[in-house]
Amino acid sequence: MTPAGQRSALLDARAITRALDHMAVGITELAGKDGANELMLVGIQRRGVELADRLSALIASRTGAPVSRGALDITLYRDDLATVGPKPLVGETRIPGDLSGKCVVIVDDVLYTGRTIRAALDELADFGRPARIGLAVLIDRGGRELPIHADVVGKAVTAGPGDRVDVLLTEVDGRDAVELVTGGGA
Amino acid sequence: MSAPALAKDLLGIEHLSAEQIRLVLDTAEPFKEVSERAIKKVPTLRGKTIVNLFYESSTRTRTSFEFAEKRLSADTVNIAASGSSIEKGENLVDTARNLEAMRIDMVVIRHPASGAAEFLAKRIRSNVINAGDGMHEHPTQAFLDLLTIRDRLGKIEGAKVCICGDILHSRVARSNIWGLLKLGAEVAVCGPRSLLPRGIESLGVRVFRRIDEAIQWADVLNVLRLQLERMQAGFIPSLREYNRVFGVTVERLARAPRKTLILHPGPMNRGVEIDSLVADGPQSVILDQVTNGVAVRMAVLYLLAGGNPERAEAAKGGAE
Amino acid sequence: MKPIVLRGARVIDPSQSHDGVTDVLIEDGKIAAFGRGATRDGAEVIDVSGKVVTPGLIDIHVHLREPGREDVETVATGARAAAAGGFTAVCAMPNTDPVTDNQAAVGFIVKQAEAAGASRVYPIGAISLGSKGQQLAEFGEMVGAGAVAVSDDGKPVVSSHLMRTALEYAQTFGIPVADHCEDPTLFHGGCMHEGVVSARMGLRGIPSASEEIMVARDLLLAELTGGHIHLCHMSTRGSVELIRRAKERGVRVTAEATPHHFTLTDSACLGYNTNAKMNPPLREDPDVAAIRAAIKDGTIDVIASDHAPHHYDAKEREFDDAPFGIVGLETALGLGLTELVRGGVLTLPELVRRMTTEPARVFGLPGGTLKPGSPADVSVFDPEVRWSVDAGAFQSKSRNTPFAGRELWGRVERTIVGGKSVYAR
């Protein structure tokens, strides 16, 4: 058995780049299904925002058209606020323009229980009525507690309930890596 | 190191750390955006019941708290002193215990007696937020003043802030003094000596006898409301003379070496402590204060909510 | 009643300048003999070796609330609280409802005290009718009924003319006029000492000058009239200095200080502790130091408790609205022993003097001595026992003390009034 707290690499920087390329294609295809609907990427604070930035650049270079981006902090929509303390810091929420009629793709680093995405869906609904909402995640680690699935996945991994998946990004952490922390907690 | 957090209650600024004050100000930032949304409501405090217990009339503070509570989806009940059991002579403890028996989560209290919020907090399990107690503290007013200054000057540290007027009877002054000092501002007060508490210097503030000296020195003037009752009580001879000697006027501001920022907690006595041209002028941030008031109150409600300090405590322990 | 021998204690009697191990014989309600081996056939011998025996402690300033507020204290419960505190006699202030301002009201207190059969209670009559500060009460009639002094305590005598006439008129009867010194126009809704702590707490302050102005006036009037002014519960360094100078020039002034004023400062009010709300208010460190020095050098003659019971509901409220005052009878000796004797301010005999011989002298009371032939009022305490103040265990009906939970030295073992044990552990 691996000792608790031991880190092992799931993706290195090059693998992340490949995964993002793959995701950019997937998102373009997803948006393409709806024809003329304008695409908007909404990153979930904190690393989803950085991933959305990278993905929008990749998509723009492919399609030649700029992709609008937003940021969403779902803290205020969490279903466990009454029990967490101290209260988490709330990050910025920035949704440019009206969402009505757009194809919104939520971008996050790790998909696990699905509760964050449930909160994000609720929050997005307060900003308008998109034609369609999709979900793109860098890592799907399984372990869903809600009927939610990702439309675009960079890499699917298997992690136990006691493990933690850390996504590290250069913009925030100084390097690109995805690591599994055994027994590190979710 | 554990992340900063607030205690069960918000009773004043005096006993908060600089980290806790910054936490509130930083938390207020994202809440500003919520009030700009088309749907100005998030579900954060859904199912929480908040009582606004106002023993003194107050339009601005009560409305601001009510907006903050509603934008966080809390259920709110307003109780004013007149026309309630309070008017029938019920004491504060009994009122609070009766409310608590109805399973409320938070009490926002405004009361004419200094210490009333602390008194209540020691006797009930709900979170208590002090919305102004006598001449003691008005912490959310200090937060919104601090946030407004920080928005405009970029930082509080090193700012020279002079609080002008009736310091003796002012809870706004006390809360501001503590908050500004803790965040590294230089603080002064200016007003007639009859309206300054004895020993005010020992809190670490300087005293200006003349408003012109204060204007020469300050980056920010926080002009307090002069209660009309002070005249009858013999603290000052007349409002006219007060305006002549201590009023913040355009002429006086024009002699300032810099663009002085003008704050006022409201409601204003135009032509007494502040001239209309100043209040409505480009240096006034009085309406920004009001806007920020809702954001800081949302932040405080968010940070205190939970109503389950044991579990919060346990969760905190786990993070360390 | 069987004769009693108190055997083997350290007996301190300032009236005889005695401090040493000896025996005391009590017979027929009087001190019958004083000295090693004093005994009588058939006497009950009480071994009090290791303890201290003194003349009965006297508290010249208490509020017993009867008539009017029998729910918070009565003459009987107050007299029992006194006994439990080691006091064999107390002087009851007249600010009852109705005010003790006439012969009948004074007689009522005397009668209630006799019925209680605990410590002695000497009434103090009002200076003015209803303590309203206008018309003099009948001093002579009240003295005839048992009053030992006059005072409008609880309120100052605002009119200088009234104070002057009271000081003059009281001389006929040889009683002191006791004043609660406070300038009501400076008081201005204050609820604690005016200083840095009140500024922080946002509470209206009572400046030291409020007391000192009246002290100065009273001293001048005592000098003018030759009357005996007794200044109650002195709290400020300024008051102490005024009294010291007046005594130097021969003014007939006596003064008292309370245990709380020589123990606590205004910071006891922090947290809006209504049990630290009293009038005069708790002052600052230099004031406490000045009060202690004044007790030491005799500028302050007497330690008195200003025992002021209040219902717990009345104190369980906002600081502004809570009443002034604390109970003090059952903590006074312990605070004196702990703060003054163990605190290095007084010797034990000096403390005993300020609580026995001096109060008897100031108010012209019997007692305060163990000389053979005097009433057998005796206190026995163990200065080496440490105890924790438990307000719930008070004999007083009220619990409003800022000293709850405080560790004090010196426990009362036995209180004897007129040869009868009215309190024994």
Side-chain angles (χ1 to χ4, degrees):
Chain A
M1 212 179 121
T2 7
Q6 184 176 319
R7 288 179 170 271
S8 55
L10 292 176
L11 297 180
D12 60 11
R14 280 181 48 208
I16 288 175
T17 307
R18 274 201 307 277
L20 285 173
D21 281 338
H22 167 72
M23 288 171 73
V25 174
I27 291 169
T28 316
E29 283 171 1
L30 190 67
K33 283 181 195 163
D34 300 301
N37 288 329
E38 190 197 328
L39 175 66
M40 182 193 285
L41 299 188
V42 174
I44 293 182
Q45 292 283 10
R46 155 100 236 251
R47 288 170 185 77
V49 177
E50 313 298 343
L51 290 173
D53 283 354
R54 292 200 202 176
L55 286 169
S56 68
L58 290 170
I59 295 167
S61 70
R62 285 172 61 89
T63 62
V67 179
S68 63
R69 276 166 296 138
L72 203 59
D73 187 294
I74 56 88
T75 308
L76 302 176
Y77 286 74
R78 278 172 67 160
D79 57 7
D80 59 351
L81 271 180
T83 58
V84 296
K87 288 287 179 293
L89 275 176
V90 184
E92 184 193 26
T93 292
R94 169 174 38 83
I95 303 294
D98 189 3
L99 295 182
S100 300
K102 288 185 183 159
C103 173
V104 173
V105 175
I106 298 170
V107 179
D108 204 0
D109 51 356
V110 179
L111 176 60
Y112 181 24
T113 61
R115 290 181 190 272
T116 298
I117 305 307
R118 191 284 307 161
L121 290 170
D122 285 350
E123 183 158 18
L124 281 176
D126 286 347
F127 282 91
R129 189 172 181 281
R132 174 192 168 87
I133 300 178
L135 172 62
V137 297
L138 179 61
I139 304 290
D140 181 351
R141 56 165 290 184
R144 219 75 78 236
E145 294 170 0
L146 295 174
I148 278 170
H149 79 276
D151 302 289
V152 177
V153 176
K155 182 173 174 63
V157 303
T158 307
D163 303 338
R164 195 178 74 220
V165 175
D166 281 353
V167 172
L168 307 175
L169 296 176
T170 313
E171 298 91 322
V172 184
D173 310 293
R175 67 190 171 102
D176 275 3
V178 178
E179 293 171 354
L180 177 70
V181 186
T182 314
Chain B
M1 209 183 85
S2 67
L6 298 185
K8 168 183 159 271
D9 311 294
L10 175 67
L11 305 178
I13 306 286
E14 183 180 359
H15 299 293
L16 296 184
S17 66
E19 288 70 32
Q20 287 174 313
I21 296 170
R22 282 192 207 100
L23 172 70
V24 173
L25 301 185
D26 293 345
T27 304
E29 287 295 340
F31 283 111
K32 287 182 187 170
E33 180 265 329
V34 173
S35 294
E36 302 298 327
R37 297 182 187 180
I39 296 176
K40 299 176 181 52
K41 204 178 183 78
V42 290
T44 316
L45 298 187
R46 209 157 54 92
K48 299 275 181 216
T49 310
I50 302 180
V51 175
N52 298 314
L53 186 56
F54 276 63
Y55 284 76
E56 276 181 348
S57 62
S58 148
T59 306
R60 187 175 317 234
T61 305
R62 208 210 62 228
T63 312
S64 181
F65 265 109
E66 212 176 332
F67 273 133
E69 292 154 0
K70 293 201 155 126
R71 286 176 191 176
L72 292 172
S73 303
D75 296 314
T76 67
V77 177
N78 292 324
I79 299 177
S82 57
S84 66
S85 56
I86 298 162
E87 205 172 46
K88 295 173 193 157
E90 187 175 66
N91 71 33
L92 180 53
V93 184
D94 286 340
T95 302
R97 288 190 180 141
N98 277 284
L99 288 171
E100 195 150 70
M102 296 183 218
R103 300 291 176 260
I104 57 164
D105 298 293
M106 296 178 122
V107 178
V108 175
I109 180 173
R110 156 71 60 96
H111 197 285
S114 299
E118 179 171 341
F119 176 85
L120 188 66
K122 284 178 180 162
R123 285 162 182 79
I124 64 174
R125 291 162 51 93
S126 310
N127 309 102
V128 174
I129 298 176
N130 183 3
D133 63 327
M135 314 185 315
H136 178 226
E137 286 231 40
H138 190 353
T140 57
Q141 177 72 42
F143 286 139
L144 74 89
D145 290 343
L146 291 166
L147 187 62
T148 306
I149 295 170
R150 195 173 79 169
D151 285 351
R152 288 301 178 118
L153 300 185
K155 60 176 180 148
I156 308 275
E157 197 184 349
K160 291 178 175 169
V161 182
C162 183
I163 304 165
C164 309
D166 180 3
I167 311 296
L168 180 62
H169 300 94
S170 175
R171 51 194 172 216
V172 175
R174 282 175 181 76
S175 288
N176 261 280
I177 288 170
W178 296 122
L180 288 162
L181 289 174
K182 281 166 195 279
L183 295 191
E186 288 184 59
V187 185
V189 295
C190 178
R193 193 72 232 196
S194 53
L195 290 175
L196 304 183
R198 234 158 54 83
I200 183 79
E201 294 89 343
S202 70
L203 303 187
V205 306
R206 58 193 294 174
V207 175
F208 287 112
R209 287 192 308 156
R210 313 292 303 210
I211 190 75
D212 301 283
E213 296 167 15
I215 289 172
Q216 281 301 310
W217 175 84
D219 302 317
V220 180
L221 293 184
N222 197 342
V223 187
L224 302 179
R225 172 181 168 77
L226 187 81
Q227 306 276 353
L228 306 181
E229 306 91 88
R230 303 302 169 228
M231 204 167 61
Q232 285 100 49
F235 287 99
I236 52 161
S238 71
L239 299 182
R240 199 181 68 88
E241 176 157 301
Y242 185 86
N243 179 255
R244 292 231 331 241
V245 181
F246 290 99
V248 177
T249 62
V250 171
E251 294 73 30
R252 285 189 162 127
L253 274 187
R255 291 195 290 270
R258 60 189 78 80
K259 289 277 178 217
T260 316
L261 211 58
I262 304 295
L263 280 77
H264 191 299
M268 287 184 278
N269 292 311
R270 289 169 179 262
V272 181
E273 70 270 2
I274 189 165
D275 278 8
S276 289
L277 287 174
V278 174
D280 302 331
Q283 289 163 251
S284 161
V285 289
I286 295 170
L287 292 177
D288 295 12
Q289 289 176 272
V290 178
T291 308
N292 283 341
V294 177
V296 297
R297 289 178 179 120
M298 288 172 84
V300 168
L301 290 163
Y302 165 73
L303 291 169
L304 289 188
N308 197 333
E310 304 86 54
R311 277 165 82 179
E313 213 40 55
K316 196 161 70 183
E320 279 164 351
Chain C
M1 212 159 43
K2 246 170 46 170
I4 300 173
V5 176
L6 297 173
R7 179 162 292 166
R10 174 181 174 188
V11 179
I12 299 173
D13 180 3
S15 75
Q16 306 182 70
S17 303
H18 184 276
D19 178 9
V21 174
T22 190
D23 304 333
V24 178
L25 172 67
I26 296 167
E27 193 172 29
D28 298 330
K30 295 203 163 21
I31 305 290
F34 183 93
R36 260 279 165 62
T39 187
R40 190 69 90 231
D41 286 346
E44 179 192 356
V45 176
I46 303 171
D47 180 8
V48 285
S49 53
K51 314 280 194 285
V52 170
V53 164
T54 70
L57 307 183
I58 300 170
D59 188 344
I60 60 172
H61 190 144
V62 301
H63 299 270
L64 300 185
R65 305 300 188 211
E66 186 180 357
R69 284 306 300 270
E70 291 84 352
D71 58 326
V72 297
E73 199 78 288
T74 63
V75 171
T77 59
R80 283 202 287 277
F87 291 97
T88 57
V90 297
C91 299
M93 282 295 177
N95 61 336
T96 46
D97 184 14
V99 171
T100 310
D101 62 0
N102 61 72
Q103 180 182 22
V106 170
F108 171 76
I109 308 283
V110 171
K111 189 174 85 41
Q112 292 298 83
E114 278 168 5
S119 296
R120 301 177 198 271
V121 178
Y122 298 110
I124 297 170
I127 293 172
S128 61
L129 288 178
S131 286
K132 290 197 172 89
Q134 284 156 2
Q135 194 183 335
L136 280 186
E138 294 170 332
F139 292 5
E141 299 279 291
M142 293 192 293
V143 169
V148 295
V150 287
S151 178
D152 276 353
D153 184 66
K155 294 181 194 167
V157 177
V158 178
S159 159
S160 298
H161 172 71
L162 184 73
M163 179 51 89
R164 174 203 173 142
T165 49
L167 282 165
E168 289 170 335
Y169 189 63
Q171 292 175 50
T172 308
F173 311 101
I175 53 168
V177 177
D179 197 16
H180 167 118
C181 293
E182 175 181 304
D183 179 341
T185 63
L186 255 186
F187 181 76
H188 209 83
C191 58
M192 69 173 291
H193 172 65
E194 181 181 292
V196 177
V197 180
S198 68
R200 282 171 56 192
M201 295 177 72
L203 291 171
R204 285 191 172 78
I206 305 167
S208 296
S210 163
E211 175 176 304
E212 290 154 4
I213 286 169
M214 282 306 204
V215 167
R217 181 204 70 172
D218 285 355
L219 292 170
L220 291 170
L221 292 175
E223 196 163 21
L224 173 71
T225 59
H228 175 186
I229 184 77
H230 176 75
L231 301 174
C232 297
H233 42 55
M234 290 291 96
S235 72
T236 80
R237 53 198 124 143
S239 296
V240 163
E241 199 42 48
L242 287 165
I243 297 165
R244 190 172 284 129
R245 276 189 271 149
K247 283 191 168 181
E248 280 164 14
R249 59 178 197 270
V251 178
R252 284 184 68 200
V253 54
T254 53
E256 68 188 38
T258 70
H260 44 279
H261 286 112
F262 68 61
T263 303
L264 300 175
T265 64
D266 55 352
S267 60
C269 298
L270 288 171
Y272 300 92
N273 177 8
T274 55
N275 280 330
K277 179 175 177 178
M278 53 268 286
N279 189 15
L282 298 170
R283 305 285 185 184
E284 299 171 11
D285 281 326
D287 298 300
V288 171
I291 296 293
R292 290 177 172 218
I295 294 171
K296 169 85 179 166
D297 73 12
T299 301
I300 285 173
D301 304 82
V302 173
I303 292 166
S305 75
D306 195 8
H307 178 79
H310 289 291
H311 196 273
Y312 82 89
D313 270 350
K315 284 285 193 181
E316 177 75 356
R317 54 185 317 164
E318 301 89 309
F319 199 90
D320 275 337
D321 300 336
F324 291 106
I326 61 166
V327 292
L329 280 167
E330 293 167 75
T331 48
L333 177 63
L335 287 163
L337 290 167
T338 308
E339 296 293 326
L340 300 182
V341 177
R342 293 206 179 239
V345 179
L346 300 183
T347 63
L348 182 54
E350 283 172 332
L351 175 72
V352 170
R353 180 182 167 79
R354 303 254 167 260
M355 298 183 79
T356 58
T357 317
E358 285 297 282
R361 176 185 65 82
V362 165
F363 272 20
L365 306 174
T369 178
L370 296 175
K371 281 180 190 155
S374 26
D377 290 3
V378 183
S379 301
V380 184
F381 59 88
D382 186 337
E384 302 304 324
V385 171
R386 199 153 184 231
W387 57 290
S388 176
V389 178
D390 173 9
F394 283 166
Q395 294 291 315
S396 168
K397 273 195 176 185
S398 292
R399 308 280 177 257
N400 50 305
T401 175
F403 299 113
R406 199 176 178 103
E407 297 275 319
L408 296 180
W409 289 97
R411 193 172 62 192
V412 176
E413 296 290 328
R414 184 181 292 269
T415 306
I416 299 168
V417 174
K420 188 179 131 212
S421 287
V422 294
Y423 174 82
R425 269 187 55 79

